[in-house]
Amino acid sequence: WALAACAAAALCEGIMAGTGIKARFAELRLPKGAPPLWAWSAIGGAYYVLFFYLLRSVLARPSMPFWTPVMLALMAVLLIANASWNWIFFRKKDLRLSFVFLFPYLLLALILAGVLHHVRNPISGWYALYPAYLVYATWWAYRLWRLNSGSPQNV
């Protein structure tokens, strides 16, 4: 189930992003030190590997009647929200909204980190790297928005 969930989420992310990913990056002024497109792809791959192992670890320990559904719900919302961010960024081309969207997303990621730590999930240490990365991603989205705020296409 973990593999199916991650594959479905990755498929949704691709559909939401569309076909103009390279063109979208080419039209933007990127912050200094921003990762190239191939690195963002590697980050995306690492995200799905992390969520695969996380889902697998939660599904393998369903003996927590309260916490298991909470963790699964948080992971489902994060997977869906991640795909939705791609629609905002690539299809809607709204840099301000793609930045603002990251605040509730980061909050959910932190809540999941807290729950994973609380239940002593074996993947919680690896997962803790994800909210740390999201702090960088939020800074990157802010800088991207500010650098491109003068363009009518990048509100």
Side-chain angles (χ1 to χ4, degrees), residues 6-127:
C6 288
L11 179 64
C12 286
E13 182 177 346
I15 291 169
M16 293 287 220
T19 59
I21 295 171
K22 283 185 183 179
R24 176 69 175 140
F25 266 84
E27 70 190 22
L28 293 170
R29 291 180 54 213
L30 300 174
K32 287 187 180 184
L37 186 54
W38 67 264
W40 287 114
S41 297
I43 290 167
Y47 169 84
Y48 285 109
V49 169
L50 174 65
F51 269 75
F52 166 75
Y53 282 107
L54 188 56
L55 281 163
R56 198 174 101 181
S57 73
V58 170
L59 292 169
R61 295 176 46 191
S63 60
M64 298 177 279
F66 176 76
W67 292 112
T68 296
V70 169
M71 291 182 286
L72 291 174
L74 285 168
M75 286 183 273
V77 170
L78 286 169
L79 287 166
I80 292 166
N82 185 59
S84 300
W85 183 90
N86 282 276
W87 178 78
I88 294 167
F89 185 83
F90 291 108
R91 298 274 184 123
K92 192 170 171 44
K93 297 184 177 186
D94 190 331
L95 296 177
R96 185 184 65 77
L97 184 57
S98 68
F99 162 66
V100 171
F101 186 90
L102 289 172
F103 286 97
Y105 186 88
L106 176 57
L107 179 61
L108 287 173
L110 288 169
I111 291 169
L112 179 57
V115 171
L116 292 169
H117 178 73
H118 176 74
V119 301
R120 299 173 194 254
N121 183 287
I123 309 297
S124 65
W126 286 105
Y127 179 79

